[in-house]
Amino acid sequence: MRTIETLLPQHGKPDVASLRGYDADDLARYILDPDNAWWRRRLCVHALGGRVPEARVAGLLGRIRDRGETGEVRIALLDLLADRSELLPWLRHEDRRDEPSYGMPEAILKARGLLGDRTAARDLATLAHSPWQRTEALGEAGLDALVERYGVEAVLADLGGGRPEDRAFAVRMRHRAGQDVTGHLADPDRAVAHLAESLVADRGRLLRYLDEAPTTEAAVRAACALHRLAEDPVETRAIDARLGSPRVEVPGLDEELRRPIVHAYAPGCQRQSDPRWRLEALCTEPPARPDQEAQLARATAALTAAGLAPAGPVPCGEHRMQGDGTFHVYEWGDDEVHVSTLGRFATGYEDDHAARRPLEGAGFRWIDAETSQVRVTDLCVYYFGHREPLDVGDLLFYWQD
C-alpha cells in the first residue's frame, strides 16, 4: 500500500482520491504527529471527513486547543469536528479573542455557529458583512447554521437590527424567503444598499421604484440593477436621462481626467462607492486608449532629445518586481518619470522636474502636485488592503503588488 508521503509528494500533484480511501486510524495518527509536515497533515484532515475514529477524537480536539499547532491544521480540524459539543466551552472562552493563528478567530466564530451558540450571532453577522470573501463566507456559514437550528426570526431578534451588518443579514434572509428587498436600496449604509441592489430581480418593481425612491442614490441603484437584469444600454441611458444624469462633482477633476478614471475604476469599484460613478460608466463612452507603443516611443524620443538618457520604459510591475498597474517607468540616475497607460499623462511628482518641459512639448499632460492630490470623492478602489477614495495621482499611476 502506498504511504501518505507517496500520496502527497513534496513536488507533484497530491493523490487526494486515494487519500480519502486510506485507513482512517492511520490518517488520524499521522495528523496527531507534529513531526509530520503541516501541509500533509491538513490534507489528511480533509480526507477524514465523515469517518473520524472515535478513539482519536480527544487527541484531535487537543490539536485544536494547542496554540503551538499550525493554524491551517487547527482550522481544518475545527471544520472536521464542528459537531463535537464538548468543544463549545473552549470556543466560547474569552482567551479565544486573542488567538495568535491567522484566521483562527474567524474559524472559531464559525464553529460556534455550527454548534448552535446564539451568543456568537452578532460577531458572525460582522464577519458576514466583511468585504473579504473568505471572511464573509465564514460568517454566513455560521449564521446559516443558527438559522437552520433556531429559525430566522430568532436570529434576527438576537441581532436587533441596529447595525449595518444586522440589516445586511435581514436583506439576505428576506431575499432567500422570496420577499422583495427593493426598499433596502435606500439603506443609509452603502454596503447594505449595494447588497440589496445585487439581489433585486423584479423589473416591474424596479421601474416603479425609480419614481418612489426617497434619495437620488437609491434611484441610481435601481437603474444599475435594471441594467444588470437587462444589459440594455439604450434603456439604461434613457433612465439616466430621466434621473437628470446625476454625477458626483469633484472640484479639480476636469473631463480629460475624469473619463479614463471613471471607465477604469467605476465598473468594479468597491461597495461603499457612490453608485452614481457606476451609472456614469454605463452611460458614457470610454475614452480612446492611447497607442501604447507610439506613446512610449514619443516619450523616449523627447527624454532622449533633452539629454536625460533614460532607461526604459519598463512596466511598473516589472520595475517593482511584482504586481501590475497603469504606468510605465523611465529611470535615470536617482530620477524617474511615470507615463500612464490611461491617457497622455506623465509625472515625476515634482512640478519643476527636468522631464516636464520635454514631455509637455511632446504632447503629454504633466500631472502636477495640485492635480495629483485631487481626491476622487466616493469612488472607493482597492489599494493595499484599503477600500477608500484615492487621489488622481494614485489612480492615473496605480500599482498594486
Side-chain angles (χ1 to χ4, degrees):
M1 184 177 179
R2 296 169 67 192
T3 67
I4 290 173
E5 280 80 5
T6 57
L7 291 175
L8 304 175
Q10 180 76 37
H11 304 289
K13 186 176 181 180
D15 187 352
V16 175
S18 295
L19 198 66
R20 292 195 186 102
Y22 210 84
D23 181 78
D25 195 67
D26 287 344
L27 285 173
R29 286 191 294 108
Y30 192 91
I31 294 164
L32 289 169
D33 186 349
D35 289 336
N36 292 321
W38 70 265
W39 58 271
R40 286 194 175 108
R41 294 164 61 219
R42 181 187 61 184
L43 289 170
C44 289
V45 173
H46 296 160
L48 264 185
R51 56 192 190 105
V52 180
E54 190 63 30
R56 302 294 179 186
V57 168
L60 295 173
L61 291 175
R63 294 288 86 209
I64 294 174
R65 297 187 184 104
D66 184 357
R67 290 192 176 206
E69 177 62 272
T70 303
E72 287 86 346
V73 175
R74 298 175 76 197
I75 291 169
L77 284 168
L78 268 178
D79 279 337
L80 179 69
L81 300 171
D83 59 341
R84 308 300 300 203
S85 59
E86 62 264 43
L87 194 58
L88 189 53
W90 180 85
L91 292 170
R92 295 182 63 177
H93 196 278
E94 62 182 13
D95 287 350
R96 303 291 77 74
R97 293 188 176 274
D98 64 351
E99 280 285 339
S101 299
Y102 175 78
M104 194 66 181
E106 296 86 353
I108 286 171
L109 280 171
K110 174 191 170 183
R112 288 172 61 187
L114 295 178
L115 286 168
D117 180 9
R118 288 171 64 177
T119 65
R122 286 176 64 82
D123 287 336
L124 284 168
T126 299
L127 289 187
H129 198 51
S130 168
W132 298 99
Q133 290 184 353
R134 176 186 169 278
T135 304
E136 176 189 48
L138 293 173
E140 289 185 357
L143 288 172
D144 286 346
L146 293 177
V147 168
E148 184 175 350
R149 184 175 296 208
Y150 303 109
V152 172
E153 294 306 319
V155 180
L156 285 171
D158 290 339
L159 295 178
R163 305 176 305 161
E165 49 263 58
D166 304 336
R167 299 196 301 275
F169 172 75
V171 169
R172 284 196 296 270
M173 293 301 102
R174 287 167 187 160
H175 174 72
R176 185 179 296 178
Q179 300 173 11
D180 179 38
V181 297
T182 307
H184 292 280
L185 297 175
D187 193 281
D189 183 86
R190 282 178 174 155
V192 178
H194 185 270
L195 173 64
E197 179 194 322
S198 72
L199 296 175
V200 290
D202 186 332
R203 279 183 48 80
R205 176 75 181 97
L206 285 166
L207 287 167
R208 293 192 300 275
Y209 188 77
L210 290 170
D211 295 320
E212 303 169 4
T215 66
T216 298
E217 277 198 35
V220 169
R221 289 195 183 278
C224 290
L226 284 163
H227 182 86
R228 171 176 57 82
L229 294 171
E231 294 188 357
D232 182 349
V234 175
E235 178 188 62
T236 304
R237 288 172 181 171
I239 292 172
D240 178 61
R242 173 178 164 186
L243 296 177
S245 296
R247 301 287 183 266
V248 178
E249 297 302 328
V250 180
L253 188 69
D254 59 55
E255 194 64 18
E256 185 182 24
L257 297 171
R258 184 181 186 108
R259 287 180 65 205
I261 287 173
V262 165
H263 287 276
Y265 298 101
C269 63
Q270 299 295 310
R271 63 189 189 178
Q272 288 288 2
S273 300
D274 190 314
R276 289 178 289 181
W277 285 113
R278 285 187 288 121
L279 186 60
E280 181 177 349
L282 291 171
C283 296
T284 58
E285 291 296 326
R289 284 291 185 95
D291 180 325
Q292 290 296 310
E293 187 175 342
Q295 177 166 279
L296 293 172
R298 196 167 72 252
T300 300
L303 294 171
T304 302
L308 298 177
V314 177
C316 60
E318 181 180 333
H319 176 72
R320 298 185 177 180
M321 295 184 288
Q322 59 185 336
D324 199 5
T326 64
F327 62 96
H328 288 80
V329 179
Y330 286 94
E331 194 173 26
W332 62 95
D334 295 328
D335 242 331
E336 65 181 54
V337 163
H338 297 170
V339 175
S340 177
T341 63
L342 300 183
R344 61 181 192 98
F345 312 115
T347 192
Y349 302 104
E350 296 174 9
D351 290 356
D352 60 350
H353 196 284
R356 178 171 183 170
R357 286 192 176 181
L359 288 175
E360 286 180 334
F364 286 89
R365 176 174 175 178
W366 189 262
I367 303 301
D368 59 23
E370 181 179 1
T371 303
S372 180
Q373 292 166 13
V374 171
R375 180 60 57 94
V376 183
T377 315
D378 291 329
L379 178 61
C380 299
V381 176
Y382 181 81
Y383 192 58
F384 292 97
H386 298 282
R387 293 169 169 84
E388 299 172 352
L390 297 178
D391 295 342
V392 164
D394 291 326
L395 293 169
L396 295 181
F397 309 100
Y398 180 91
W399 174 73
Q400 181 67 55
D401 68 5

